[in-house]
Amino acid sequence: MLFSVLITTTLSVLAPPVYADSASVSERDWLWVAIIILLLLQSLLIIGMQRSRLKLKHARQALFKSQKELEAKVHDRTETLHNTNEQLYQEIGRHEATELLLRETQEYLHSIINSMPSVIIGVTHRGFITHWNAAATEKTGINSADALSKHLKDVYPSLPVDGDIISDTIEAGIPYTSQNIQETYAGEMHYSDLTIYPLIAVQAIGAVIRIDDVTMRVRVENMMIQNEKMLSLGELAAGMAHEINNPLSTILHGVQNIYRRISPSLTANIEAAQNHSISLDNLLAYMDERKISQFLEDIREAGERSADIVTNMLDFSRSSGQSQRPFDLSHVIRHGVELLAAERTQLPDIRMVLDHTVPQIMGSAAEIQQVLLNLVRNAAQAIGEEFDQTDWIKITLSQNDLDAILEVEDSGPGMAEEVARHIFEPFFTTKDIGQGTGLGLSVSYFIVTEHHGGSIEVSSNPGEGTRFTVRLPKQSSSTASPSPPPLLH
Ligand SMILES: Nc1ncnc2c1ncn2[C@@H]1O[C@H](COP(=O)(O)OP(=O)(O)OP(=O)(O)O)[C@@H](O)[C@H]1O
Ligand SMILES: [Mg+2]
């Protein structure tokens, strides 16, 4: 608008007037023109400035608006960040609490597993060890740091568990059990029950092996079975002994009487012979020639041997034939060995390790000596006639809090499990006919258990010798009662 006014004005000034003279008009006109141009320029400048100011104002307003928006955004972000931070802190706190709880639970579980008397071994499905409790360390002597991550068969080779059993158990999902596993450690036979529990979790597939020492249970069971067997056999033996005893007495008395009736030292015999015109000397010579004397002697020997067997069998009756007195076990052992040395010209090296502080035992010294002789004779018989310097029989006397412990060990051939199971049974023998009655150990068993309230057990493996362990309570719990009347004499 302003611009059009200026232009119109300028044009009107520049248009030549009709009535003026030319010289003065031109000077005045040029002045106007200049003024107008200046004004024009000034106006233009003012307009430009005005526009820039307007632009600046707009820019400032936009900037301010952006700044505000930015500030609002930053504020929002800061708040969100703050909230997130807060949540994060809470989350961390919860995590720490859970971790602590987890660690506590883990330690608690560890201490439960470690305080269990059973051996607990965790394994992967391939048999690598993941857990190893304190009982496992105690049993194997291998600590958990050395056992973990190793293969079970490398760490515990005597355990009858292989990778197949573990994987089969896991696959079947049913626990696997094996009872009365035999293991020899610290020189003693031990029995264990083994159970493998399959462990199927989301992250890991494996198994837990539990091993319980059931040696005491097996011993008690064996003892009970043995006792039952012995009691019934004992009754039978005692009954048989009484039955056999009478005809046997007749046989022995008969032989004794035959000897007496042919003896030339008795007048009645000489007179009777003369009545029949017989010379007693000739009769004896005839008997010798026809070996009648030898037959008689055989009958007497066999009769006496049978009488010994009957006496032994009668020991199965629960009453003791011996009086109960305190006696010194080491004295009994030494005396027994002297007797054996006198009985046998050749014996393997007999080693004695005797604890002389073992207190006196209440019972029958003669019976315990009989037990010792049975055990040492058996040991010598097991080693055999053709022994050498490497063979030995070791007799040990020791004690624990409750018992005096007598052990008879030998370097003989040992015996199979099948034989060991029966050795305390009456008449069980592996010796040739006429060599053994099979009563030695059963009588010993009764003497020790019934008459002295103790225990007797065997530990043996083929090719590894044999050890008998007799435990006699220091405070005797003997249930001995008076002996039966003597039968044969
Ligand atoms: N130390 C030993 N080593 C190997 N086997 C043994 C040992 N002691 C006993 N036995 C086995 O136990 C069996 C029974 O022994 P037990 O003493 O009861 O009878 P026996 O020795 O055969 O006969 P007896 O004692 O009447 O001479 C023996 O026949 C033998 O097989
Ligand atoms: Mg014997």
Side-chain angles (χ1 to χ4, degrees):
M1 174 70 176
L2 182 66
F3 192 68
S4 62
V5 169
L6 276 173
I7 292 199
T8 325
T9 317
T10 309
L11 287 176
S12 64
V13 169
L14 288 176
V18 203
Y19 49 85
D21 81 66
S22 59
S24 56
V25 167
S26 109
E27 268 177 23
R28 203 181 55 225
D29 287 349
W30 283 113
L31 190 67
W32 277 108
V33 168
I35 289 167
I36 287 167
I37 288 172
L38 272 174
L39 280 172
L40 206 64
L41 280 173
Q42 193 184 5
S43 305
L44 280 173
L45 203 70
I46 289 165
I47 290 166
M49 276 173 67
Q50 202 65 27
R51 287 183 70 180
S52 337
R53 206 177 297 141
L54 261 172
K55 263 189 193 166
L56 197 70
K57 193 181 166 192
H58 282 137
R60 270 212 195 115
Q61 276 173 349
L63 197 71
F64 184 71
K65 196 177 159 200
S66 308
Q67 194 181 343
K68 283 287 160 207
E69 279 173 8
L70 208 69
E71 270 175 15
K73 270 186 187 162
V74 168
H75 181 264
D76 281 356
R77 284 280 159 85
T78 313
E79 201 149 298
T80 320
L81 223 73
H82 184 76
N83 287 342
T84 319
N85 248 10
E86 197 62 28
Q87 278 172 4
L88 221 72
Y89 274 124
Q90 281 176 9
E91 200 65 25
I92 288 171
R94 269 201 297 275
H95 266 284
E96 278 177 358
T98 316
E99 199 186 308
L100 195 76
L101 208 71
L102 259 172
R103 216 176 304 132
E104 273 175 15
T105 315
Q106 201 180 27
E107 274 165 23
Y108 182 60
L109 281 174
H110 263 293
S111 68
I112 288 178
I113 291 172
N114 275 337
S115 62
M116 281 171 80
S118 311
V119 170
I120 305 278
I121 303 171
V123 285
T124 65
H125 69 292
R126 288 181 201 280
F128 288 95
I129 296 167
T130 54
H131 284 87
W132 187 262
N133 78 341
T137 301
E138 198 184 319
K139 186 161 187 183
T140 57
I142 299 166
N143 60 35
S144 79
D146 292 335
L148 290 177
S149 308
K150 305 240 171 69
H151 200 278
L152 186 65
K153 76 172 169 13
D154 296 328
V155 180
Y156 201 158
S158 64
L159 199 69
V161 174
D162 57 22
D164 287 348
I165 295 180
I166 295 173
S167 50
D168 288 353
T169 306
I170 294 169
E171 212 168 291
I174 301 165
Y176 163 93
T177 48
S178 173
Q179 290 190 319
N180 296 355
I181 298 168
Q182 290 183 21
E183 274 181 289
T184 310
Y185 57 87
E188 284 211 7
M189 181 75 84
H190 284 255
Y191 297 87
S192 306
D193 279 359
L194 177 139
T195 313
I196 304 176
Y197 299 97
L199 200 70
I200 302 161
V202 184
Q203 287 105 341
I205 298 177
V208 174
I209 301 171
R210 197 183 95 192
I211 304 160
D212 293 301
D213 192 322
V214 291
T215 309
M216 280 310 289
R217 188 193 76 196
V218 171
R219 279 187 191 154
V220 170
E221 277 173 9
N222 284 347
M223 225 180 271
M224 279 166 65
I225 294 168
Q226 200 69 24
N227 265 344
E228 283 295 310
K229 227 176 341 190
M230 289 297 182
L231 281 174
S232 50
L233 282 166
E235 300 285 319
L236 189 72
M240 277 170 65
H242 280 293
E243 290 301 315
I244 295 169
N245 199 41
N246 290 337
L248 198 58
S249 304
T250 311
I251 293 169
L252 280 171
H253 277 121
V255 174
Q256 205 180 352
N257 283 336
I258 294 172
Y259 274 124
R260 281 171 59 83
R261 303 257 161 124
I262 57 172
S263 166
S265 58
L266 289 179
T267 330
N269 294 347
I270 299 168
E271 281 173 11
Q274 275 170 359
N275 288 343
H276 296 279
S277 311
I278 300 167
S279 146
L280 270 186
D281 289 339
N282 285 348
L283 178 68
L284 289 174
Y286 170 79
M287 284 175 67
D288 280 347
E289 192 184 319
R290 297 300 295 147
K291 292 203 167 66
I292 296 170
S293 309
Q294 184 60 51
F295 294 144
L296 272 178
E297 191 52 28
D298 289 349
I299 293 171
R300 192 181 62 80
E301 268 178 26
E304 277 174 2
R305 189 167 152 71
S306 305
D308 284 345
I309 294 172
V310 167
T311 311
N312 272 339
M313 282 163 73
L314 282 167
D315 278 336
F316 283 115
S317 65
R318 274 193 265 162
S319 49
S320 166
Q322 304 292 327
S323 57
Q324 303 279 309
R325 282 195 205 95
F327 66 91
D328 186 351
L329 263 173
S330 51
H331 177 76
V332 165
I333 294 170
R334 277 199 306 275
H335 189 240
V337 172
E338 277 166 24
L339 276 179
L340 272 170
E343 178 188 292
R344 289 167 169 251
T345 42
Q346 291 213 313
L347 271 175
D349 179 17
I350 295 193
R351 302 170 191 167
M352 282 190 276
V353 182
L354 308 180
D355 174 355
H356 292 283
T357 65
V358 173
Q360 291 201 321
I361 297 294
M362 181 61 107
S364 159
E367 283 187 349
I368 295 301
Q369 191 168 76
Q370 191 186 343
V371 172
L372 177 86
L373 292 181
N374 282 339
L375 296 179
V376 181
R377 274 191 201 120
N378 278 350
Q381 284 163 355
I383 290 171
E385 302 284 311
E386 291 177 7
F387 53 85
D388 59 28
Q389 283 161 346
T390 58
D391 285 309
W392 48 265
I393 296 171
K394 187 175 170 194
I395 304 170
T396 315
L397 176 64
S398 60
Q399 59 183 319
N400 62 20
D401 288 350
L402 299 173
D403 302 318
I405 303 165
L406 167 66
E407 286 172 306
V408 178
E409 208 176 335
D410 65 63
S411 63
M415 59 186 111
E417 161 76 18
E418 188 51 35
V419 172
R421 208 179 299 150
H422 297 290
I423 55 170
F424 295 112
E425 289 170 15
F427 306 110
F428 176 84
T429 180
T430 56
K431 289 166 192 166
D432 291 340
I433 295 166
Q435 293 296 304
T437 62
L439 284 172
L441 284 178
S442 40
V443 168
S444 303
Y445 183 91
F446 254 80
I447 290 175
V448 172
T449 59
E450 293 293 315
H451 296 176
H452 292 83
S455 69
I456 178 168
E457 62 190 50
V458 66
S459 167
S460 182
N461 275 319
E464 290 175 19
T466 301
R467 181 176 56 227
F468 282 91
T469 307
V470 176
R471 290 187 173 82
L472 297 169
K474 289 180 183 172
Q475 299 292 316
S476 175
S477 58
S478 167
T479 52
S481 52
S483 67
L487 282 147
L488 285 172
H489 305 291

